[in-house]
Amino acid sequence: MTIQKLENLIFGARSKIIAIFGVITLFMLWQAAGIRPDTSLEKMVPLSHPYIQNLLKHKDDLSLGNEVKIAVAVKNGDIFDPAYLDTLKQVTDETFYLSDRKTREEGEAHPIVDQNKLKSLWTPNVRWNEVTKEGFQGGEVVQGYDGSPEGIETLRANILRSGQVGRLVADDFKSTIVQVPLQDGVAINYGQLTTNLEALRAKYETQNPNVEIHIVGFAKKVGDLTHGGTLIVLFFLGALVITFLLLLWEFHDLKSAAVVVLCSIIAVIWQIGTVKMLGFGLDPYSMLVPFLVFAIAVSHSVQVVNAVNLETAAGSSGEQAARRAFSSLFKAGTMGIAMEAIGFLTMLVIGIKVIQALAISASVGTALIALTNFVLLPVLMSYVRIGDRAVQRLQEKQKHVPAVWTKLAAMTTAGPARLGLAIAAVLFIVSFVLAQKVKVGDLDPGAPELRASSAYNIDNAFLTSHYSTSADVLVVFVETPEQQCSSHAVLEPVDRLQWTMENVPGVQSTASLVTAVKRIQTGFNEGNLKWAALVADDAVLNESAKNVSELYSAACNLVPVFVFLDDHKAETLTRVTQAVEQFAKANDTADVKFRLGSGNAGIEAATNDEISAKKTPMLLLVYGVVIVLCFIAFRSWRPVVCIILPLVLTSILCEALMTLLGIGIKVATLPVIALGVGIGVDYGVYIWAKFEKYLKEGKSLSDAYLATLTSTGRAVLFTGVTLAIGVFTWVFSPIKFQADMGLLLTVMLLWNMLGALILIPALAHFFVKPEQYRNKA
């Protein structure tokens, strides 16, 4: 179907189209209202990576992961205080029934806490042991405590004998931890769970003013991300208001500005509704997609309304102006949308579900803009009569060409073109050198997804500084035949692994069944440290291992080795994982195998591997898509070169900026490059479509580019600034990766806009001959 036939079909049924769009929008609004948060560990990790496969393989054998740690700290004094211990007991009792539901009754019907494994000074599974001349003695840590001074001293002695100092009890005796393991395989509403945890914090800090509570754990972090993500609605409303005011300032016509915002909001409603029907929920990453859809919709809408205004200023009626705007922009607009939609899908190569959901959401939302902003918008504009004042202002503008347009048009001549490309080449070289230093992974301590000043990172810093075990843990799985996990043939290489890892820079300490067995054997032999070694006798080792059954699987075919790290920086993780892999290569046997697989550091290492492996393929794909579609649209390699090279420069500049700002390439920032290219290509497509049109009319390069700037240049400039301002609002998000994405996308959008306006004419000087287009006219 030709564009002319499509135009007649659409404008011949304007009222029906408006009615159909109205009904669909109401349906999509109903669907969008049902969308819910959808976050889980499985969505945020590369499931196909060997480390994650090992984790999933053994997740039912050991409880290694999803737990919440609640540190109950005393402000003045120490933990050996009856008021403090009473508060700790109440916190322990309440966390026993901790839920992700709003009421206690609902929570009891949906238990999420693995109650048998909950640990606190007040739980019976926290015990003390000692060796006496009569043999082993032991009991619960709180055994003998009755609130009296004597009971306090008994508790102090029990804690010192329990081995829990530095683990459940702080090194300075000013706080203790309630360790709350969550059940595996249970769907958890992390947002509500975090709300309940914050209510618990507020309750006991108010009840006992001498107590402060710190909460960490994957569930708490995801909950904080979810809560922070809800603020994105406020940023969206702020961006909407800013955009409307800018449109009003640009068009000087209330109706035109209102129609642009209306159609762009409809695109967002359709995107959310469609995503809901596809079975997706909202996560901290996909929450940003409505922003993008709105910004992209406004970008295309400005071109449409600008074209309508120009036709109106030339004397066309409302419907005639809308028809001509539709016909002149349909090809360039839909091709730009296709490049964006297909370009976003290239993120599917990243094997992490949240990024794949982001790719699909962004692609679907962008594709729908072809309907809302290239069908509905022109139809609505055909009914909107642009004010006489706005028309007169536009006509006055056309009589006076801005000096900046004249200077930019001069970029098509030899001198300015060479200078512009020389500056671009210098920028490229400097940026390329800086880009080589960009790191993969997180570069900040704590939870890098959140700001350093966030409550979670403050809590995390408290636990890290007051307890001996690091918050960054790598777990190595040692696989053995059944009932062989405590044999000397297994524990001896495990002991060597621990020694090897403790000598790797970045490792604080290690722990495993070997650590416990050595301690128990020492106890069996009157505390003689000479016995702190592995005895080559399986019967002795098995007897010792019976006392610490939590350190191996029920079938005794799996032993975890815990490696505590200084941090989770990319270089630390690379160094440590390489050391484990080298050890495994040299020591794996038919019966004993060392497999990386768990802990937050293991998950982070797997994610870094996925990012490193998929970065280049994704970039090649996104640029490949844009190149092919550009060639299809313009049927020549010349516009491909002129449109793509500024985008390449922007991508390199983005990576250089990441190096300078200390932002690593990670799950949040890698998609920015694809998004920046997908959105940024619009500028070049719209500019070239007009540029080519004027070249076919017989104009010289300078005249054709000046006419392009006069007709569409201001719209491109306005769109770039408007998009950048809208996306820049993300910088104020409490979620750090959203702020990072906002900053990087803002820079990319502005650079893409400036690159298109400045470098396209400079490149055209070297690659385009006007007579080549006159022959095609």
Side-chain angles (χ1 to χ4, degrees), residues 619-631:
L619 284 175
L620 291 176
L621 271 174
V622 69
Y623 275 107
V625 166
V626 172
I627 288 170
V628 169
L629 291 178
C630 269
F631 187 82

Side-chain angles (χ1 to χ4, degrees), residues 574-585:
T574 300
R575 189 186 313 119
V576 172
T577 53
Q578 284 179 350
V580 174
E581 288 171 351
Q582 289 171 3
F583 184 91
K585 186 177 181 180

